[in-house]
Amino acid sequence: MKRKTLLLLNLSRALCIISMVFFPGLVAVAQQQSIVSGVVRSANDHQPLAGVTVRIKNTSLGATTNTNGRFTLNQTPHTGTLIFTAIGFTTLERQFRGGESLDISMQPSKAGLGEVVVIGYGTQKKVNLTGSVSQVDSKMLENRPVTNALAALQGTASGMVITRNSGQPGEEGYAIQVRGLSSVNGSEPLVLIDGVPKSSSFIAMLNPYDIESISVLKDAAASAIYGARAANGVILVTTKSGKTGKLQVAYNGMFGIQKYINLPGRIHSWKDAEMDNEGRENAGQSDAWSQQQIDWMKDPNTNYIVDPTNPSVYQYYYDFDQLSPVLNNYSTTQNHNLSLQGGTAKDNYFISLGYYDQHGIYKIGPDKTDRLNARLNYNRQLTDKISLNTRIDYSQENTLAPPYPTEGNGGLLYLILTRGSMGPPIYLPGSNNEKYAASSRGLPANTYSVLKEGGKDDSRADNFNAEVSLKAVNLIKGLTLRAIYAPGVAVTQENIIRRTIPYWNITGIADYGYENTSPNSLSKRRGVTLRNNIQLLGDYDFKVGTKQSFHALAGYSFEDYRFDYTLATAKGLSSNDLFSLNLGDPTLATNSDGIQTWALLSYFGRLNYDYDERFLFEADLRYDGSSKLAPHNRWQAFPALSAGWRLSNERWFKNAFPIFDEFKIRGSWGQVGNSEGVIGNYDYIALINEGTVYPFNNQPNKSYYQNVLASPQKTWETIETSNVGVDMALLNNKFSISADYFIKHNKNMLAPLQVSSIIGITTSTYNIASMKSWGWETTLQWKDAIGHNFNYWINFNLSDNQNEIISYNGKNSITAGLNTIIEGKPYNSFYGYVAEGYFQSEEEVEKHAFYSNNDGPGDLKYKDVNGDGKINGGLGRTDDHGDLVYLGNPAPRYTFGFDLGFNWKGIDFSAFLQGVGKRRIFPSPAFLMPFVSRWLHPMDFQTDYWTPENPNAKLPRLYYQGTQNTAASTHWVMNAAYLRLKNLQVGYTIPERITSRAAISKARIYFSGQDLWEISKLWLKIIDPENPNNSAYQYPYFRTFSVGLNLVF
Amino acid sequence: MSSKILKRFSMKYTDKWIFRILLLFNGLILLSACSKQLDKVPETALSDAAFWKTSNDLRDACNNLYTFLPTITDNNDADWSDDGYGTAPSSISDGSRLAPVTSSDWANNYTLIRRCNTILEKSSQIKDDSEQVNRYCGESRFFRAWAYFELVKRFGDVPLILRTFDVDDSLTNAFRTDRETVLDSAYVDLDFAINHLPKASALPQAEYGRITKGAALALKARIGLFEGTWDKFRQLKNVETHLNIAVNASEQIINSGEYTLFIYTPDPDSSYFYLFQNAGDGPENKENMLVRLYGENVNNSIASHNYVRSIWGGSVTPTRSLMDAYGYTDGLPEGKSPYEIPQTSTLSEFQHRDPRMGMTVFSKKDWFINSFYTPTFENTVTGYKSRKYFVSADWTINKSYVDNIIIRYAEVLLIYAEAKYELNDQISDEDLNRSINTIRSRVNMPPLTNAFIIANGLNIRNEIRRERRIELALEGEHRYWDLMRWKTAEIELPQSVLGAKYFPDEQTGITNPQLTADGFVIAQDKSKRNFDPDKDYLWPLPTQDLGLDPNLTQNPKW
């Protein structure tokens, strides 16, 4: 037929799509016939229901209720039947007449009968789940002044723990863990966004407002369909699709101010000097500072003198505040988001644009991040059986940071926190604030000048993902086929610019601070990551009789990854303002590159069987082949089985326990693999590494060596998981409880085969260990209304898990501090001495078992556990570890999240608390005491130390460069349990009767605060309980106070 | 796969363009379904299988061994002995250290041994140039001997590993091998190296820094002297065997005529000082037998160090004990020389002193960074500052390129003299003249003769040892190992560490100093220093290795 007609047809369709995307309202308005409108409410609490699908029976006409529960249908027939459907509510049919205005009340469905949960390669009704799945609603992510969606997810799902290790904008280092550790090698969950495997960093790159829901697949039954990568759980993120109805424009904006928390302060310079002297005297050394020098520090009129032995330098005796010239009291953050959505029965679209930025603690210099997100999700019914689903998203993240590390020893925070007032001032005295002062005592340059003039670390990540899928339904009745192609491109660009900063003494430039002889430099790093994913999926539903229904899924997937980076560095550039590789000294130029690749080919299937909505069975199988393993053991199968029994659908149960609306018990067993970050891409190949060059003939002569033994026998860690759970809903679905208990057994965990260093090479890891972890989770939800205007909810989740190394065929050795793998103990077992207070006298030292020549009054007294008269770690073996005893492990126990809220008329309130019930931490003692190293000066929390007059101090006596108190011991073990108010929101929705005058269907203003308050038992307040990993001079976290506006047009 | 089915559906249900898309998908999938897609290989790293092809690859692997040579900052290890003191007490020196969990002194040497063994094993498959192959085997065997000597010095008996092995090998549970056997193996390695390595004079300029026959001989002599005297002062056997090895090897070097003491022509009297300055670098200096190279300069900065700032910060400072060891220009030591006077200023102790004192320790007469040196206690606990390797011009740029001297000819002469003496309990004037007196004449010190010794009531052994101490002062670990092998550490190390005499009007940077009755600063008091002769002559094995290899035993009393 008529090729022309077809073409025209296609053209007009295309035009139609375009017009509907951009002017959907116009299309609707142009064809107006009759109108039906109304409002839909929940029968439970009479609150308006948003997102209810309203459809005219036997037509393709429909709409969706807006945030006020309102809907309007144009061009309707004059009479007909409306069908109302909503997740969690019983579908309702209602006759209508044209022009009528309806007030609909929908009954909540029994136990959210209709509630659908996203699972691997599909969806499942919640009531029919036999695996363990938590679902996080988009509401938990919205209107929160947080850096990214990961931050907002913290504490929202039982069994999912989210941590961060820095407060530095753009460098927070968020990490997710589901159900604790299942391996010592890495327990990162697999993350998929709209069904496409990505990594957790992609969640951080998403616009939180684009997320529709997040499913956490926790047990093997739920996750085994993802095979070799599923051992640590799977997180499925689904983005929003357009809702049927006319164009809806929404704007969400937020502006916040932030204040850093838990940053220590400085002490007076003279106090520092006195403590320095005391520490040296205790160590039998001469004083570092004379009384006159200390007096100068106290005297505001004597801030510096010319060094009597060297007339070209000043000696500085200031006592000034180093923090305030550098640190902001407050910094800002903002967030703007605009979305457009709508659709017809044939297609729908969701378009969004988001912008986020945050400024850091530094008053001057580069310290900020921002992110831009754009997304287009477009679905189109191509024919009545075939539909196209496209998702395109782009994100851009820009982070500006100082070009030198902020954290750690020698970092920018270190310079102000511990050298601060002892060091030189910012400017050379008498230089009219134009010349930076050089340090007179070998101290590094000051932070102010580095921030102001030192350059920047400018990084940018561009991320482009597309997903095109074609879906054919009912080709044969019950058969659905899907073909998905999802490419992704990520480009990272980082330019590190380090400018020359001259530091002056009296006679001239003394040095150039951090970068001494190559005064300036430029490093450019460019990385491209290419991902490809192809999936072919077939779903088949059929029934046998009326009671038995089956669902079968078969699939194929291929994934390919390639990361390629180039790094080029120029030094000694001819300009200190224009930074280009072209301007560098050619003899100092360096370049390098790196490529990482892997591929994964998989076949998988699933069979569900449902008998009379009472007995549920599921079987899963995945067969994975990976490029990371040697060809002879490349393929492995991962099976899972699960079953559920919906007791509440048994007549006898209903009669006996009518209080329950839903009661299901379920159990599962399965084997899944652990591979994310566990096995290197080429571990099975022996590689030759490039060593340091050696300067024969003043040439950089290359040198090569083998660094690590190859391990061709290596295979996936296989983790066997068993899970039992119960789901209950009662009191008319007001109250629901879900609980799970699980055991994970990592049967062939990879562990370094520890051998004596006489082997002379780093050994690889082998499948030689096994580990068990177990725990439980529970979620309680209460939702009710009082009267018509007040409804409220309380959700609580609590989880716990523990682990133990069952066997380790490698050799066990025990050392003071953290021991990663010891048979019969948890991962990261901490061993140390038992501290029994301080020695109070010389006699006590003499009488006590010997530890160190330096022991004296005011030092920790360690218990002689084995009574041999010496304090030591014995042979470091499990059968002889001297006086070291097991002190616990730093894994958090009893993690919980707690949110509650209410709506009353236009006012809404919600509070979200999150915390850890029990945690032992072991911060590094060398960081807790001043003068352990020469360069560590005291901070304000370190003045409570032992003296004869202060025998019960928090810290031992001062001892210059002494290590007798830095051994791992009970003295330094702390309790990092905490409760933190993560978010508090108070909002007011302006009544629609007012806003509708401005054509606004919803206007809400709110206050939202993040990390507003906490309690913890840490006696050392500089350590944040969320990040107790004891690194020194940590970039602090923020409290955020924000106000925002939600508008829907 | 399913193109037929799809085609049927396409006719029935869909527009053609949808069908085409489906076909395209289908094609993509078929393309990728091949499991060859799972073969990924490293694209930016060499594999072991592809690497070992020619003798050039052996050379490049040997280049890596040189990165194990002592670095210039290892000179700070002088603070283990009574010669030097750092910014804080050394736990090796004051006896306060505990058995470590891991030890780089242990592990790094075994890493070096493995890399040597790898090269020796891989060399058998390389046939392109047997002379070159032998040369690099010689280098590898030199380094293997070096590593075993470093291990034996510290730990005594150590596992002798002469091949590479994997984690399932029985060698992972190796026993400690008798030190005599280990050193015999080192001698065999060195003999191979001596036979196959080029002479220094045959080494092209471009290869300067590579191991030569002379360096291998010198290491052999060093081991011989160490083990010979170790045994002698512990009444063990094999004293003569080792001392003869030391005598023969050092004599071969002396007789070869390859090496001479360095003379700085523009200022011959200060040659000893310039030996440790940039002037001493390079093949023209015939004294240096093995150096750790740094290079070249700020304009070609391949390998640099900032040892100048390290010395300036007091990382190793001379002690009173070292200062007192310097003799006077009449050749007589403290207590014998009429030149000895009570100290009246910081400068007075330098008067009429062995010139090497002034070339090793800063005094007011020396140019420091941008002025003459001012005695101070700032950045020096003892109040002294070391001059060896202090290149004034490098302080500001904080980068130096002076090579680190590991073996120099003067040491060979000292080995010869001492080994000769210890072998026979006497030494001829002729032997003194060809060894120690050559060294003394460079710094204008009078010769040491048997007659002089007798005339002044001196002890010849003490004077040979003094000469060694003074000549090699603050050059790393020499003094510490001398005290260990002479078994005198138990006498010297538990003494108080003293520094300079305190002259309040001259020195700054000190407040309330702890002083001796004579006015010397106490850097570390005797009460904090300890040396247990039953324990401290051997180092503790790292406890982790003891845990991992049940056949390893700890040294006594650790």
Side-chain angles (χ1 to χ4, degrees), chain B residues 7-31:
Chain B
K7 197 164 184 180
R8 247 185 34 227
F9 290 135
S10 78
M11 292 308 165
K12 228 168 157 184
Y13 298 112
T14 65
D15 293 338
K16 275 191 178 167
W17 61 275
I18 300 172
F19 172 63
R20 284 188 194 124
I21 290 172
L22 284 173
L23 264 188
L24 187 68
F25 262 96
N26 201 22
L28 280 171
I29 287 149
L30 286 176
L31 199 72

Side-chain angles (χ1 to χ4, degrees), chain A residues 601-775:
Chain A
L601 184 58
S602 318
Y603 302 94
F604 48 88
R606 176 165 63 212
L607 183 68
N608 292 85
Y609 171 66
D610 174 350
Y611 181 81
D612 196 24
E613 299 209 315
R614 287 189 285 150
F615 300 105
L616 307 162
F617 296 97
E618 182 180 313
D620 296 88
L621 186 68
R622 176 146 174 151
Y623 189 53
D624 273 332
S626 167
S627 67
K628 296 183 183 186
L629 299 175
H632 63 272
N633 55 6
R634 193 157 267 178
W635 288 89
Q636 192 174 335
F638 300 93
L641 294 168
S642 58
W645 184 16
R646 290 179 67 190
L647 284 158
S648 49
N649 283 358
E650 300 284 356
R651 194 159 296 152
W652 58 269
F653 188 92
K654 274 184 192 166
N655 294 338
F657 307 102
I659 190 173
F660 288 104
D661 305 298
E662 174 67 32
F663 196 113
K664 179 174 68 186
I665 54 173
R666 51 187 161 78
S668 73
W669 170 90
Q671 288 183 336
V672 276
N674 186 34
S675 62
E676 292 295 272
V678 172
I679 295 184
N681 289 332
Y682 315 108
D683 282 3
Y684 69 94
I685 300 168
L687 294 179
I688 295 289
N689 296 64
E690 214 171 302
T692 330
V693 297
Y694 196 79
F696 293 120
N697 201 27
N698 291 321
Q699 307 278 330
N701 294 261
K702 296 218 165 211
S703 81
Y704 293 100
Y705 67 103
Q706 187 181 348
N707 189 31
V708 189
L709 284 171
S711 54
Q713 66 283 63
K714 192 182 278 188
T715 184
W716 302 128
E717 296 181 351
T718 304
I719 291 153
E720 196 169 281
T721 306
S722 304
N723 190 88
V724 289
V726 58
D727 299 318
M728 289 177 267
L730 56 167
L731 299 172
N732 231 351
N733 286 318
K734 282 174 188 163
F735 187 37
S736 64
I737 304 172
S738 182
D740 281 273
Y741 178 79
F742 66 88
I743 298 173
K744 295 196 277 188
H745 190 172
N746 188 342
K747 297 176 120 176
N748 55 351
M749 184 164 72
L750 288 162
L753 187 66
Q754 286 197 12
V755 292
S756 163
S757 28
I758 58 177
I759 196 168
I761 190 166
T762 310
T763 58
S764 186
T765 53
Y766 297 80
N767 297 85
I768 50 169
S770 76
M771 178 176 176
K772 197 172 106 171
S773 50
W774 65 95

